[in-house]
Structures are given as structure tokens and as C-alpha cells.
Amino acid sequence: LARLGLKSSLFANIGDDDHGRDMLVALKKNAVQTQYMHVNRGKVSNYHYVLWYEPDRTILIKHEDYDYKWPRIPEEDKPKWIYLSSFAESGARMHDDITEYLEKNPDVKLAFQPGTFQMRMGFEKLKGLYARTEVYAVNVEEAQMMTDKPGERNIRVLAEALHERGPKIVVITDGPNGSYASDGTQVLAMRNYPDPKAPYERTGAGDAYTSTFVAGLITTGDIREAMKWGPINSMNVVQHIGAQEGLLKRSELNKLLAHAPHDYEPREYKPD
């Protein structure tokens, strides 16, 4: 979001070790505000391992047992959007804090890209959060799991089932098959941006897509434009190692948009 020109702050938990300090330096270097970062004294930072084979990978995750607390946000710092992604099981109670904050601040919009633990919690435990979700983003397999529709490939069916839980805009990604977005009245399909060469390493592709979609929606207010933004950053990230190296600046994204194929446009979704 920061590289795409938006004023961004990160709330996250780190340890008071070298890895945590390196993270703060990297955030500040990328113009991300860090006043809400929580340093857990006497604890180490989360450290994960990536098993990488050809373009695919498996990430071995170990969350430290942090004391998760939603920060106090002064009125002058109130965000227009909150982008919520994954955190550890020990932070489950913080979902209630976030829901309460959103209820007290109805003008703040929520983008929710759930992690594994949050999806395992199901809809009922997080129904207040889903009711306040502006953008909900998952991949096809996750959408099937969340709607209890294993094997369902009709994106309209999956999107409608997710809308019933509360989200106003549903985004579903499907790897090489592209991506889809529904605003409750129309379902749009979007092709991927052409790869300049075969993907090198896929870590962060989904995060890059969703964060860039949200940035496009915030910047332009147009779901169609947002759908054109997302695949570009995703394409570029998989040309590099890791989830951050290939993230584009706004000027770089605009240049690739200007050179997109003539058919690089959202179209009405039609089931196979």
C-alpha cells in the first residue's frame, strides 16, 4: 500500500531481537508508519521457513505466544480502511476488539484476507466482523471450504454464499485461471497479466494481488480498475524471491498498465 502511494501504518507484533529491529528498519525504509508496532520484550520475532521447489513452496509457520492487544488509535489517526490479515491463535480475542472498533467507527472500511486459523474459526465466531467487511478475499479452495461447498467451481455460487455472510465485495483468486470479483449484483472475471517469463517463486502472490486490489479500490473507487491493478503486482512478485522484492511502485504499475494487452479488461463472468 505504501509503495502504491497510500499513507500506511502497520500494527503487528515483533520480538525485541535483531530480526524485529530489521523489520522496523525495512518498514521505515518503505515509508510505512510504525507507531503501532508492538515490541514484545523478552521474546523473539516470528521466524518461518520456506521449502522451495521449482516455482512452488510450502511455508513452515511458527507463531510466538505474543500478548495481542488492539492499540488505542487517537481520532486524528483514525484510518479510512483497516486491512486485516492472519495472526496466531493466541490473538483470537482481538477479533472482538476490532469488531468493536468498527462498530464505534462506522465510516472505517474493512478489507479482510483471512489466514488459516481465522478460516478455521468459521463464520459464527466472527459474524460481527464479517458483517462489517467491505472486501473479503480468498482463493477458490478457501472459498469452497468457507461455504462448505467442496468441489464447487461456479464462482457465482461461491460468491453469493460468501455475500450472505456479510461482505459487500468478494474477491476470489484462482491461480493461473485468473481472478474474480463480485459486488453482489455482478460477477466479473479477470485474466492474469502476462508473465515476462516463467514464475520463479510464488511466495506472496496472493498477498500482492489482494493488497493491490484494495489499493486500487481505495485510489480509484472502481472495482474494474482494482481488478486490473491486482494481477500486475502478483505477476511481478513471482519473478523474485520472497513476498516483498517484486512489489511495484505506483509509477511502475502505471507503466505496465499502459502496455497491457488489448483484452486486459474485466469481463462478465460466465460459468464453463
Short mmCIF file of all heavy atoms in Angstrom, two decimals, residues 63-126:
data_model
loop_
_atom_site.label_atom_id
_atom_site.label_comp_id
_atom_site.label_asym_id
_atom_site.label_seq_id
_atom_site.Cartn_x
_atom_site.Cartn_y
_atom_site.Cartn_z
N HIS A 63 4.23 -19.42 15.18
CA HIS A 63 3.88 -18.16 15.81
C HIS A 63 4.34 -18.14 17.26
O HIS A 63 4.09 -19.09 18.00
CB HIS A 63 2.35 -17.94 15.78
CG HIS A 63 1.83 -17.60 14.42
ND1 HIS A 63 2.08 -16.40 13.80
CD2 HIS A 63 1.04 -18.30 13.55
CE1 HIS A 63 1.49 -16.37 12.61
NE2 HIS A 63 0.85 -17.51 12.44
N GLU A 64 4.99 -17.06 17.65
CA GLU A 64 5.34 -16.89 19.05
C GLU A 64 4.09 -16.54 19.86
O GLU A 64 3.10 -16.03 19.31
CB GLU A 64 6.39 -15.78 19.19
CG GLU A 64 7.70 -16.06 18.44
CD GLU A 64 8.42 -17.30 18.93
OE1 GLU A 64 8.31 -17.61 20.13
OE2 GLU A 64 9.09 -17.95 18.11
N ASP A 65 4.13 -16.79 21.15
CA ASP A 65 2.97 -16.55 22.02
C ASP A 65 3.00 -15.11 22.50
O ASP A 65 3.43 -14.80 23.61
CB ASP A 65 3.00 -17.52 23.20
CG ASP A 65 1.72 -17.43 24.03
OD1 ASP A 65 0.71 -16.91 23.50
OD2 ASP A 65 1.74 -17.86 25.19
N TYR A 66 2.52 -14.21 21.65
CA TYR A 66 2.51 -12.79 21.99
C TYR A 66 1.24 -12.42 22.75
O TYR A 66 0.22 -13.11 22.68
CB TYR A 66 2.60 -11.93 20.73
CG TYR A 66 3.90 -12.06 19.96
CD1 TYR A 66 3.90 -12.07 18.57
CD2 TYR A 66 5.12 -12.16 20.61
CE1 TYR A 66 5.08 -12.17 17.84
CE2 TYR A 66 6.31 -12.26 19.90
CZ TYR A 66 6.28 -12.27 18.52
OH TYR A 66 7.45 -12.37 17.80
N ASP A 67 1.30 -11.28 23.42
CA ASP A 67 0.14 -10.73 24.11
C ASP A 67 -0.55 -9.76 23.16
O ASP A 67 -0.22 -8.57 23.11
CB ASP A 67 0.58 -10.03 25.40
CG ASP A 67 -0.61 -9.50 26.19
OD1 ASP A 67 -1.74 -9.97 25.96
OD2 ASP A 67 -0.40 -8.61 27.03
N TYR A 68 -1.50 -10.27 22.39
CA TYR A 68 -2.15 -9.45 21.37
C TYR A 68 -3.14 -8.47 22.00
O TYR A 68 -4.04 -8.88 22.74
CB TYR A 68 -2.89 -10.33 20.37
CG TYR A 68 -2.00 -11.06 19.38
CD1 TYR A 68 -1.56 -12.35 19.65
CD2 TYR A 68 -1.61 -10.46 18.19
CE1 TYR A 68 -0.74 -13.03 18.74
CE2 TYR A 68 -0.80 -11.12 17.28
CZ TYR A 68 -0.37 -12.40 17.56
OH TYR A 68 0.43 -13.06 16.66
N LYS A 69 -2.96 -7.18 21.71
CA LYS A 69 -3.87 -6.15 22.19
C LYS A 69 -4.09 -5.13 21.08
O LYS A 69 -3.13 -4.62 20.49
CB LYS A 69 -3.30 -5.45 23.43
CG LYS A 69 -3.18 -6.34 24.66
CD LYS A 69 -2.61 -5.55 25.83
CE LYS A 69 -2.50 -6.43 27.07
NZ LYS A 69 -1.90 -5.69 28.21
N TRP A 70 -5.35 -4.86 20.81
CA TRP A 70 -5.68 -3.84 19.81
C TRP A 70 -5.23 -2.48 20.33
O TRP A 70 -5.52 -2.12 21.47
CB TRP A 70 -7.18 -3.85 19.54
CG TRP A 70 -7.63 -2.88 18.48
CD1 TRP A 70 -8.44 -1.79 18.66
CD2 TRP A 70 -7.33 -2.91 17.09
NE1 TRP A 70 -8.65 -1.15 17.47
CE2 TRP A 70 -7.98 -1.81 16.49
CE3 TRP A 70 -6.56 -3.77 16.30
CZ2 TRP A 70 -7.89 -1.55 15.13
CZ3 TRP A 70 -6.47 -3.49 14.93
CH2 TRP A 70 -7.12 -2.40 14.37
N PRO A 71 -4.52 -1.70 19.53
CA PRO A 71 -3.99 -0.42 20.03
C PRO A 71 -5.07 0.65 20.18
O PRO A 71 -6.13 0.57 19.55
CB PRO A 71 -2.98 -0.03 18.94
CG PRO A 71 -3.55 -0.64 17.70
CD PRO A 71 -4.15 -1.95 18.13
N ARG A 72 -4.80 1.62 21.00
CA ARG A 72 -5.65 2.80 21.09
C ARG A 72 -5.27 3.75 19.97
O ARG A 72 -4.13 4.18 19.88
CB ARG A 72 -5.49 3.47 22.45
CG ARG A 72 -6.03 2.64 23.61
CD ARG A 72 -5.98 3.42 24.90
NE ARG A 72 -6.54 2.65 26.01
CZ ARG A 72 -6.67 3.12 27.25
NH1 ARG A 72 -6.26 4.35 27.53
NH2 ARG A 72 -7.19 2.36 28.20
N ILE A 73 -6.24 4.07 19.13
CA ILE A 73 -5.98 4.91 17.96
C ILE A 73 -6.62 6.27 18.19
O ILE A 73 -7.85 6.37 18.28
CB ILE A 73 -6.53 4.27 16.68
CG1 ILE A 73 -5.94 2.87 16.49
CG2 ILE A 73 -6.22 5.14 15.46
CD1 ILE A 73 -6.53 2.10 15.32
N PRO A 74 -5.84 7.34 18.31
CA PRO A 74 -6.44 8.67 18.51
C PRO A 74 -7.25 9.09 17.30
O PRO A 74 -7.01 8.62 16.18
CB PRO A 74 -5.22 9.57 18.72
CG PRO A 74 -4.07 8.83 18.11
CD PRO A 74 -4.37 7.38 18.27
N GLU A 75 -8.21 9.96 17.53
CA GLU A 75 -9.12 10.39 16.48
C GLU A 75 -8.38 10.95 15.27
O GLU A 75 -8.75 10.72 14.12
CB GLU A 75 -10.09 11.44 17.03
CG GLU A 75 -11.14 11.92 16.04
CD GLU A 75 -12.11 10.83 15.59
OE1 GLU A 75 -12.30 9.86 16.36
OE2 GLU A 75 -12.67 10.95 14.49
N GLU A 76 -7.29 11.68 15.53
CA GLU A 76 -6.56 12.29 14.41
C GLU A 76 -5.83 11.25 13.56
O GLU A 76 -5.41 11.55 12.44
CB GLU A 76 -5.55 13.33 14.92
CG GLU A 76 -4.49 12.78 15.86
CD GLU A 76 -4.88 12.85 17.33
OE1 GLU A 76 -6.10 12.95 17.61
OE2 GLU A 76 -3.98 12.82 18.17
N ASP A 77 -5.68 10.02 14.09
CA ASP A 77 -5.03 8.95 13.33
C ASP A 77 -6.03 7.94 12.77
O ASP A 77 -5.62 6.92 12.20
CB ASP A 77 -4.05 8.20 14.24
CG ASP A 77 -2.65 8.78 14.18
OD1 ASP A 77 -2.46 9.76 13.45
OD2 ASP A 77 -1.76 8.27 14.88
N LYS A 78 -7.31 8.21 12.93
CA LYS A 78 -8.31 7.23 12.51
C LYS A 78 -8.15 6.88 11.03
O LYS A 78 -8.15 7.75 10.17
CB LYS A 78 -9.72 7.75 12.77
CG LYS A 78 -10.80 6.70 12.50
CD LYS A 78 -12.17 7.14 12.97
CE LYS A 78 -12.77 8.18 12.05
NZ LYS A 78 -14.18 8.44 12.38
N PRO A 79 -8.03 5.59 10.71
CA PRO A 79 -7.83 5.20 9.31
C PRO A 79 -9.13 5.23 8.52
O PRO A 79 -10.22 5.14 9.08
CB PRO A 79 -7.31 3.76 9.43
CG PRO A 79 -7.98 3.25 10.67
CD PRO A 79 -8.04 4.42 11.62
N LYS A 80 -9.00 5.34 7.21
CA LYS A 80 -10.16 5.19 6.33
C LYS A 80 -10.45 3.71 6.09
O LYS A 80 -11.59 3.32 5.88
CB LYS A 80 -9.92 5.91 5.01
CG LYS A 80 -9.81 7.43 5.15
CD LYS A 80 -9.57 8.09 3.80
CE LYS A 80 -9.46 9.60 3.96
NZ LYS A 80 -9.18 10.27 2.66
N TRP A 81 -9.39 2.91 6.10
CA TRP A 81 -9.50 1.46 5.90
C TRP A 81 -8.65 0.73 6.92
O TRP A 81 -7.59 1.24 7.33
CB TRP A 81 -9.01 1.06 4.51
CG TRP A 81 -9.96 1.34 3.38
CD1 TRP A 81 -10.24 2.55 2.83
CD2 TRP A 81 -10.74 0.38 2.66
NE1 TRP A 81 -11.14 2.41 1.80
CE2 TRP A 81 -11.46 1.08 1.68
CE3 TRP A 81 -10.89 -1.00 2.74
CZ2 TRP A 81 -12.32 0.46 0.78
CZ3 TRP A 81 -11.73 -1.63 1.85
CH2 TRP A 81 -12.45 -0.91 0.89
N ILE A 82 -9.08 -0.45 7.31
CA ILE A 82 -8.26 -1.41 8.04
C ILE A 82 -8.12 -2.64 7.15
O ILE A 82 -9.10 -3.14 6.61
CB ILE A 82 -8.89 -1.81 9.38
CG1 ILE A 82 -8.89 -0.62 10.35
CG2 ILE A 82 -8.16 -3.00 10.00
CD1 ILE A 82 -9.65 -0.90 11.63
N TYR A 83 -6.88 -3.09 6.98
CA TYR A 83 -6.60 -4.30 6.20
C TYR A 83 -6.19 -5.38 7.19
O TYR A 83 -5.11 -5.30 7.79
CB TYR A 83 -5.49 -4.01 5.19
CG TYR A 83 -5.22 -5.11 4.18
CD1 TYR A 83 -5.50 -4.91 2.83
CD2 TYR A 83 -4.67 -6.33 4.56
CE1 TYR A 83 -5.24 -5.91 1.89
CE2 TYR A 83 -4.42 -7.33 3.64
CZ TYR A 83 -4.70 -7.11 2.31
OH TYR A 83 -4.45 -8.11 1.39
N LEU A 84 -7.04 -6.36 7.38
CA LEU A 84 -6.81 -7.41 8.37
C LEU A 84 -6.39 -8.69 7.69
O LEU A 84 -7.10 -9.21 6.82
CB LEU A 84 -8.09 -7.64 9.18
CG LEU A 84 -8.05 -8.80 10.19
CD1 LEU A 84 -7.00 -8.56 11.26
CD2 LEU A 84 -9.43 -8.99 10.82
N SER A 85 -5.24 -9.21 8.10
CA SER A 85 -4.77 -10.49 7.59
C SER A 85 -4.58 -11.44 8.77
O SER A 85 -5.17 -11.26 9.82
CB SER A 85 -3.49 -10.29 6.79
OG SER A 85 -3.14 -11.46 6.09
N SER A 86 -3.72 -12.42 8.62
CA SER A 86 -3.65 -13.50 9.59
C SER A 86 -2.84 -13.12 10.83
O SER A 86 -1.94 -12.29 10.77
CB SER A 86 -3.02 -14.74 8.95
OG SER A 86 -1.69 -14.47 8.56
N PHE A 87 -3.19 -13.75 11.95
CA PHE A 87 -2.33 -13.76 13.13
C PHE A 87 -2.59 -15.03 13.91
O PHE A 87 -3.45 -15.84 13.54
CB PHE A 87 -2.49 -12.50 14.00
CG PHE A 87 -3.91 -12.10 14.31
CD1 PHE A 87 -4.63 -12.72 15.31
CD2 PHE A 87 -4.50 -11.05 13.62
CE1 PHE A 87 -5.92 -12.33 15.61
CE2 PHE A 87 -5.79 -10.65 13.92
CZ PHE A 87 -6.50 -11.29 14.91
N ALA A 88 -1.85 -15.22 14.99
CA ALA A 88 -1.83 -16.51 15.68
C ALA A 88 -3.11 -16.76 16.47
O ALA A 88 -3.87 -15.84 16.79
CB ALA A 88 -0.63 -16.58 16.61
N GLU A 89 -3.30 -18.01 16.84
CA GLU A 89 -4.47 -18.42 17.60
C GLU A 89 -4.57 -17.68 18.93
O GLU A 89 -5.67 -17.39 19.41
CB GLU A 89 -4.42 -19.92 17.85
CG GLU A 89 -5.65 -20.51 18.49
CD GLU A 89 -5.61 -22.02 18.54
OE1 GLU A 89 -4.66 -22.62 17.99
OE2 GLU A 89 -6.54 -22.61 19.13
N SER A 90 -3.43 -17.33 19.52
CA SER A 90 -3.45 -16.63 20.80
C SER A 90 -4.03 -15.23 20.69
O SER A 90 -4.34 -14.60 21.70
CB SER A 90 -2.03 -16.55 21.38
OG SER A 90 -1.15 -15.90 20.48
N GLY A 91 -4.21 -14.74 19.47
CA GLY A 91 -4.79 -13.42 19.28
C GLY A 91 -6.27 -13.45 18.95
O GLY A 91 -6.83 -12.42 18.53
N ALA A 92 -6.93 -14.58 19.18
CA ALA A 92 -8.33 -14.73 18.77
C ALA A 92 -9.24 -13.65 19.36
O ALA A 92 -10.13 -13.14 18.69
CB ALA A 92 -8.84 -16.12 19.16
N ARG A 93 -9.02 -13.30 20.63
CA ARG A 93 -9.91 -12.34 21.27
C ARG A 93 -9.82 -10.94 20.63
O ARG A 93 -10.72 -10.12 20.81
CB ARG A 93 -9.58 -12.23 22.76
CG ARG A 93 -8.21 -11.65 23.07
CD ARG A 93 -7.96 -11.61 24.58
NE ARG A 93 -6.68 -11.01 24.90
CZ ARG A 93 -5.52 -11.65 24.90
NH1 ARG A 93 -5.49 -12.94 24.57
NH2 ARG A 93 -4.40 -11.03 25.21
N MET A 94 -8.74 -10.70 19.88
CA MET A 94 -8.59 -9.38 19.27
C MET A 94 -9.60 -9.15 18.15
O MET A 94 -9.89 -8.00 17.80
CB MET A 94 -7.17 -9.20 18.74
CG MET A 94 -6.80 -7.73 18.58
SD MET A 94 -5.03 -7.46 18.32
CE MET A 94 -4.81 -8.24 16.73
N HIS A 95 -10.18 -10.23 17.61
CA HIS A 95 -11.23 -10.04 16.61
C HIS A 95 -12.40 -9.27 17.20
O HIS A 95 -13.02 -8.45 16.53
CB HIS A 95 -11.71 -11.40 16.09
CG HIS A 95 -10.69 -12.12 15.26
ND1 HIS A 95 -9.95 -13.16 15.75
CD2 HIS A 95 -10.29 -11.95 13.98
CE1 HIS A 95 -9.13 -13.60 14.80
NE2 HIS A 95 -9.33 -12.88 13.72
N ASP A 96 -12.71 -9.53 18.46
CA ASP A 96 -13.80 -8.80 19.12
C ASP A 96 -13.43 -7.33 19.28
O ASP A 96 -14.30 -6.46 19.14
CB ASP A 96 -14.11 -9.42 20.49
CG ASP A 96 -14.66 -10.83 20.38
OD1 ASP A 96 -15.28 -11.14 19.34
OD2 ASP A 96 -14.46 -11.62 21.32
N ASP A 97 -12.17 -7.06 19.58
CA ASP A 97 -11.72 -5.66 19.73
C ASP A 97 -11.84 -4.92 18.40
O ASP A 97 -12.25 -3.75 18.36
CB ASP A 97 -10.28 -5.62 20.22
CG ASP A 97 -10.10 -6.24 21.59
OD1 ASP A 97 -11.08 -6.26 22.36
OD2 ASP A 97 -8.99 -6.72 21.89
N ILE A 98 -11.46 -5.59 17.33
CA ILE A 98 -11.54 -4.96 16.01
C ILE A 98 -13.00 -4.72 15.62
O ILE A 98 -13.35 -3.65 15.10
CB ILE A 98 -10.83 -5.83 14.95
CG1 ILE A 98 -9.35 -5.98 15.30
CG2 ILE A 98 -11.00 -5.23 13.55
CD1 ILE A 98 -8.61 -6.99 14.44
N THR A 99 -13.84 -5.70 15.89
CA THR A 99 -15.27 -5.54 15.60
C THR A 99 -15.86 -4.38 16.37
O THR A 99 -16.62 -3.56 15.83
CB THR A 99 -16.03 -6.84 15.94
OG1 THR A 99 -15.47 -7.93 15.19
CG2 THR A 99 -17.51 -6.70 15.60
N GLU A 100 -15.50 -4.27 17.65
CA GLU A 100 -15.99 -3.16 18.48
C GLU A 100 -15.51 -1.82 17.93
O GLU A 100 -16.28 -0.85 17.88
CB GLU A 100 -15.51 -3.35 19.92
CG GLU A 100 -15.99 -2.25 20.87
CD GLU A 100 -15.48 -2.45 22.29
OE1 GLU A 100 -14.89 -3.51 22.58
OE2 GLU A 100 -15.67 -1.53 23.11
N TYR A 101 -14.25 -1.77 17.50
CA TYR A 101 -13.72 -0.53 16.93
C TYR A 101 -14.49 -0.14 15.67
O TYR A 101 -14.84 1.03 15.47
CB TYR A 101 -12.24 -0.69 16.62
CG TYR A 101 -11.61 0.56 16.04
CD1 TYR A 101 -11.21 1.61 16.86
CD2 TYR A 101 -11.46 0.71 14.66
CE1 TYR A 101 -10.66 2.77 16.32
CE2 TYR A 101 -10.91 1.86 14.12
CZ TYR A 101 -10.50 2.89 14.95
OH TYR A 101 -9.97 4.04 14.41
N LEU A 102 -14.77 -1.12 14.81
CA LEU A 102 -15.50 -0.84 13.57
C LEU A 102 -16.93 -0.40 13.86
O LEU A 102 -17.47 0.48 13.16
CB LEU A 102 -15.50 -2.09 12.68
CG LEU A 102 -14.14 -2.47 12.08
CD1 LEU A 102 -14.19 -3.87 11.49
CD2 LEU A 102 -13.72 -1.46 11.02
N GLU A 103 -17.56 -0.97 14.87
CA GLU A 103 -18.92 -0.58 15.22
C GLU A 103 -18.96 0.85 15.76
O GLU A 103 -19.92 1.59 15.52
CB GLU A 103 -19.50 -1.55 16.24
CG GLU A 103 -19.80 -2.93 15.64
CD GLU A 103 -20.24 -3.94 16.68
OE1 GLU A 103 -20.12 -3.65 17.89
OE2 GLU A 103 -20.70 -5.03 16.29
N LYS A 104 -17.91 1.25 16.47
CA LYS A 104 -17.84 2.62 17.00
C LYS A 104 -17.42 3.62 15.93
O LYS A 104 -17.63 4.83 16.10
CB LYS A 104 -16.86 2.67 18.17
CG LYS A 104 -17.33 1.95 19.42
CD LYS A 104 -16.29 2.07 20.53
CE LYS A 104 -16.78 1.39 21.81
NZ LYS A 104 -15.76 1.47 22.89
N ASN A 105 -16.85 3.11 14.85
CA ASN A 105 -16.38 3.97 13.76
C ASN A 105 -16.93 3.45 12.43
O ASN A 105 -16.21 2.85 11.63
CB ASN A 105 -14.85 3.99 13.72
CG ASN A 105 -14.24 4.58 14.97
OD1 ASN A 105 -14.09 5.80 15.09
ND2 ASN A 105 -13.89 3.73 15.93
N PRO A 106 -18.23 3.66 12.19
CA PRO A 106 -18.88 3.06 11.01
C PRO A 106 -18.35 3.56 9.67
O PRO A 106 -18.62 2.95 8.64
CB PRO A 106 -20.35 3.44 11.20
CG PRO A 106 -20.34 4.62 12.11
CD PRO A 106 -19.16 4.43 13.02
N ASP A 107 -17.59 4.66 9.69
CA ASP A 107 -17.04 5.18 8.44
C ASP A 107 -15.73 4.50 8.05
O ASP A 107 -15.23 4.70 6.94
CB ASP A 107 -16.81 6.69 8.54
CG ASP A 107 -15.97 7.08 9.75
OD1 ASP A 107 -16.04 6.37 10.77
OD2 ASP A 107 -15.27 8.10 9.69
N VAL A 108 -15.18 3.67 8.94
CA VAL A 108 -13.95 2.94 8.64
C VAL A 108 -14.32 1.63 7.92
O VAL A 108 -15.16 0.87 8.38
CB VAL A 108 -13.16 2.62 9.92
CG1 VAL A 108 -11.91 1.79 9.58
CG2 VAL A 108 -12.76 3.90 10.64
N LYS A 109 -13.68 1.38 6.79
CA LYS A 109 -13.97 0.19 6.00
C LYS A 109 -12.94 -0.90 6.29
O LYS A 109 -11.79 -0.61 6.63
CB LYS A 109 -13.98 0.52 4.51
CG LYS A 109 -15.10 1.48 4.11
CD LYS A 109 -15.10 1.76 2.63
CE LYS A 109 -16.25 2.69 2.26
NZ LYS A 109 -16.29 2.97 0.80
N LEU A 110 -13.37 -2.15 6.15
CA LEU A 110 -12.51 -3.30 6.45
C LEU A 110 -12.27 -4.15 5.22
O LEU A 110 -13.21 -4.56 4.54
CB LEU A 110 -13.16 -4.17 7.54
CG LEU A 110 -12.44 -5.48 7.86
CD1 LEU A 110 -11.10 -5.22 8.54
CD2 LEU A 110 -13.32 -6.39 8.72
N ALA A 111 -11.00 -4.41 4.94
CA ALA A 111 -10.60 -5.44 3.97
C ALA A 111 -10.09 -6.62 4.77
O ALA A 111 -9.22 -6.47 5.62
CB ALA A 111 -9.52 -4.91 3.04
N PHE A 112 -10.63 -7.80 4.51
CA PHE A 112 -10.32 -8.99 5.31
C PHE A 112 -9.80 -10.09 4.41
O PHE A 112 -10.51 -10.60 3.56
CB PHE A 112 -11.58 -9.43 6.06
CG PHE A 112 -11.36 -10.53 7.06
CD1 PHE A 112 -10.11 -10.84 7.56
CD2 PHE A 112 -12.46 -11.27 7.53
CE1 PHE A 112 -9.92 -11.85 8.48
CE2 PHE A 112 -12.29 -12.28 8.46
CZ PHE A 112 -11.01 -12.58 8.94
N GLN A 113 -8.53 -10.43 4.60
CA GLN A 113 -7.91 -11.56 3.89
C GLN A 113 -7.53 -12.57 4.97
O GLN A 113 -6.44 -12.51 5.54
CB GLN A 113 -6.68 -11.10 3.11
CG GLN A 113 -6.02 -12.21 2.32
CD GLN A 113 -4.67 -11.79 1.75
OE1 GLN A 113 -4.17 -10.71 2.04
NE2 GLN A 113 -4.08 -12.65 0.94
N PRO A 114 -8.41 -13.51 5.30
CA PRO A 114 -8.18 -14.36 6.47
C PRO A 114 -7.04 -15.34 6.29
O PRO A 114 -6.74 -15.80 5.19
CB PRO A 114 -9.52 -15.11 6.60
CG PRO A 114 -10.05 -15.15 5.21
CD PRO A 114 -9.64 -13.85 4.58
N GLY A 115 -6.41 -15.65 7.43
CA GLY A 115 -5.41 -16.70 7.46
C GLY A 115 -6.04 -18.03 7.83
O GLY A 115 -7.26 -18.12 8.07
N THR A 116 -5.22 -19.05 7.92
CA THR A 116 -5.72 -20.40 8.17
C THR A 116 -6.51 -20.48 9.47
O THR A 116 -7.62 -21.04 9.51
CB THR A 116 -4.55 -21.40 8.21
OG1 THR A 116 -3.85 -21.35 6.97
CG2 THR A 116 -5.05 -22.81 8.45
N PHE A 117 -5.97 -19.93 10.54
CA PHE A 117 -6.65 -20.00 11.83
C PHE A 117 -7.99 -19.28 11.80
O PHE A 117 -8.99 -19.77 12.33
CB PHE A 117 -5.76 -19.42 12.94
CG PHE A 117 -6.48 -19.17 14.22
CD1 PHE A 117 -6.98 -20.23 14.96
CD2 PHE A 117 -6.69 -17.88 14.68
CE1 PHE A 117 -7.68 -20.01 16.15
CE2 PHE A 117 -7.37 -17.66 15.86
CZ PHE A 117 -7.87 -18.73 16.60
N GLN A 118 -8.04 -18.12 11.16
CA GLN A 118 -9.29 -17.37 11.09
C GLN A 118 -10.35 -18.11 10.29
O GLN A 118 -11.53 -18.06 10.62
CB GLN A 118 -9.02 -15.99 10.49
CG GLN A 118 -8.21 -15.09 11.43
CD GLN A 118 -7.47 -14.01 10.68
OE1 GLN A 118 -6.92 -14.24 9.59
NE2 GLN A 118 -7.43 -12.82 11.24
N MET A 119 -9.93 -18.82 9.25
CA MET A 119 -10.90 -19.62 8.50
C MET A 119 -11.39 -20.81 9.31
O MET A 119 -12.55 -21.19 9.23
CB MET A 119 -10.28 -20.06 7.17
CG MET A 119 -10.17 -18.93 6.16
SD MET A 119 -9.61 -19.46 4.53
CE MET A 119 -7.85 -19.57 4.82
N ARG A 120 -10.50 -21.38 10.11
CA ARG A 120 -10.93 -22.49 10.97
C ARG A 120 -11.93 -22.03 12.02
O ARG A 120 -12.75 -22.83 12.50
CB ARG A 120 -9.71 -23.11 11.64
CG ARG A 120 -8.83 -23.94 10.71
CD ARG A 120 -7.58 -24.41 11.42
NE ARG A 120 -6.73 -25.19 10.53
CZ ARG A 120 -5.47 -25.53 10.83
NH1 ARG A 120 -4.95 -25.13 11.99
NH2 ARG A 120 -4.76 -26.24 9.98
N MET A 121 -11.87 -20.78 12.41
CA MET A 121 -12.83 -20.26 13.39
C MET A 121 -14.26 -20.27 12.83
O MET A 121 -15.22 -20.33 13.60
CB MET A 121 -12.45 -18.83 13.80
CG MET A 121 -11.20 -18.75 14.64
SD MET A 121 -10.80 -17.03 15.11
CE MET A 121 -12.08 -16.73 16.34
N GLY A 122 -14.38 -20.20 11.51
CA GLY A 122 -15.70 -20.22 10.89
C GLY A 122 -16.39 -18.87 10.95
O GLY A 122 -15.86 -17.89 11.48
N PHE A 123 -17.59 -18.82 10.39
CA PHE A 123 -18.34 -17.56 10.31
C PHE A 123 -18.99 -17.18 11.64
O PHE A 123 -19.05 -16.01 12.01
CB PHE A 123 -19.43 -17.66 9.24
CG PHE A 123 -18.88 -17.58 7.84
CD1 PHE A 123 -18.87 -18.69 7.01
CD2 PHE A 123 -18.38 -16.40 7.34
CE1 PHE A 123 -18.38 -18.62 5.73
CE2 PHE A 123 -17.88 -16.31 6.06
CZ PHE A 123 -17.88 -17.43 5.25
N GLU A 124 -19.52 -18.14 12.35
CA GLU A 124 -20.32 -17.83 13.53
C GLU A 124 -19.52 -17.05 14.57
O GLU A 124 -20.02 -16.06 15.13
CB GLU A 124 -20.88 -19.12 14.15
CG GLU A 124 -21.93 -18.89 15.21
CD GLU A 124 -23.16 -18.14 14.70
OE1 GLU A 124 -23.49 -18.28 13.51
OE2 GLU A 124 -23.75 -17.40 15.50
N LYS A 125 -18.30 -17.47 14.84
CA LYS A 125 -17.49 -16.79 15.85
C LYS A 125 -17.05 -15.40 15.41
O LYS A 125 -16.72 -14.56 16.26
CB LYS A 125 -16.26 -17.64 16.20
CG LYS A 125 -16.59 -18.92 16.95
CD LYS A 125 -15.33 -19.69 17.30
CE LYS A 125 -15.66 -20.95 18.07
NZ LYS A 125 -14.44 -21.75 18.40
N LEU A 126 -17.04 -15.18 14.11
CA LEU A 126 -16.59 -13.88 13.58
C LEU A 126 -17.71 -13.15 12.83
O LEU A 126 -17.44 -12.28 12.01
CB LEU A 126 -15.39 -14.09 12.64
CG LEU A 126 -14.14 -14.73 13.25
CD1 LEU A 126 -13.07 -14.90 12.17
CD2 LEU A 126 -13.60 -13.90 14.40
#
